[in-house]
Amino acid sequence: SRMKQGLAKTRGSFTEGLARLVAGKKQIDDELLEELETLLITADVGVEVTTEIIDAITERVKRRDLDDPEALVRALRGYLVEAVSVPGEIPEWRPGEDNRVVLVVGVNGVGKTTTIGKLAARYQQEGLSVMLAAGDTFRAAAVEQLQQWGQRCDCPVVAQDSGADSASVIHDAVQAAASRGTDVLLADTAGRLHTKTNLMEELTKVRRVVNRLDGDAPHETWLVVDATTGQNAVAQAEKFNESVPLTGLVVTKLDGTAKGGIAVSLVRRLGLPIRYIGVGEGLEDLRPFDPEAYVDALLD
Ligand code: GDP
């Protein structure tokens, strides 16, 4: 599957490492558990979740509830699925409803604009009407890039000259989408961290402006993070979530790292669902995130 291909680097180190660990072993001993711990940490599952998993397994081994290495792999699968699933309070994302406004935030270079392009194509294929808002007004290339994606999937792009106010562009787009009855508006936002105006303040302003037009909007606010930045992605997500209440994450470039376990760290630390993962640069390289499929891709 594409998920498996996309996670090939992580699979290469994690799956093979795990296979090596359990190969020929009849029992779960301390050495095996220590090596498993290292393997999980190396895959960027995070110290917290790793410790919990190792403690739970150790406890079960002591109670003789778990003894052979095959059962260990099955148990590990269960723990990982649980760790990467968010308890039910956060509603699922269903793009079929009218007039959904999705703000897409994240620092430059993480793959925000590309993700918006891939999403636009996906929703369009599903028969939804899509509009894009070029809210990353600071970076001229971002506006052009978005316009190209818009042409590709034949969806309207609301843009102003570069240097325009991001909130004003997105304001116009929300109005245009409402008057056209567009199903999904995907709004790109600025991502530069070091300039005069504070990024978090600007995003707060965008939210406020959108919310004034439609009291339920933005319906979703997704932070895009780059998996290749490892634990920095977690720190970044925490920082954003403090200022801009997020409803979900998109983890890009999972194809470029052996540390695919970062998805587990992110879900645990943020308590937010991963909506999509990026596993390549192409249009089709965006998958809705499914905990079971993700763990299967890591372990099978
Ligand atoms: P932005 O600054 O956040 O809008 O980032 P861009 O959308 O311009 O993407 C930055 C670079 O990352 C581009 O070269 C994209 O092709 C690349 N990119 C985005 N998503 C993925 C992904 O899932 N996998 C890989 N390998 N590259 C990606």
Side-chain angles (χ1 to χ4, degrees), residues 157-291:
V157 179
V158 175
Q160 291 173 15
D161 291 338
S162 74
D165 182 28
S166 180
S168 145
V169 174
I170 295 172
H171 171 274
D172 289 357
V174 170
Q175 277 189 328
S179 71
R180 287 198 192 201
T182 302
D183 293 321
V184 187
L185 171 67
L186 299 167
D188 200 0
T189 58
R192 78 268 175 281
L193 274 179
H194 309 288
T195 43
K196 275 182 255 158
T197 9
N198 178 286
L199 176 58
M200 301 302 167
E201 276 167 24
E202 183 173 315
L203 293 174
T204 305
K205 179 176 160 195
V206 168
R207 274 186 63 88
R208 203 167 51 233
V209 164
V210 168
N211 190 252
R212 218 176 280 143
L213 287 172
D214 174 349
D216 294 327
H219 303 92
E220 294 278 320
T221 304
W222 297 340
L223 176 71
V224 181
V225 291
D226 175 344
T228 65
T229 62
Q231 293 293 322
N232 283 336
V234 179
Q236 218 170 66
E238 285 176 329
K239 178 110 197 297
F240 269 86
N241 200 34
E242 280 167 20
S243 321
V244 195
L246 304 172
T247 60
L249 304 169
V250 176
V251 185
T252 59
K253 310 189 196 180
L254 271 168
D255 53 307
T257 177
K259 294 171 174 290
I262 193 64
V264 178
S265 290
L266 281 163
V267 171
R268 170 56 63 97
R269 292 285 288 281
L270 274 295
L272 289 169
I274 296 173
R275 296 299 198 201
Y276 295 92
I277 58 173
V279 291
E281 294 186 276
L283 252 192
E284 3 28 80
D285 297 324
L286 187 82
R287 320 297 309 159
F289 183 75
D290 172 60

Side-chain angles (χ1 to χ4, degrees), residues 108-114 118 139 145 253 255 278-281:
N108 279 344
V110 292
K112 232 176 334 125
T113 310
T114 308
K118 291 171 175 176
R139 200 163 64 89
Q145 217 179 313
K253 310 189 196 180
D255 53 307
V279 291
E281 294 186 276

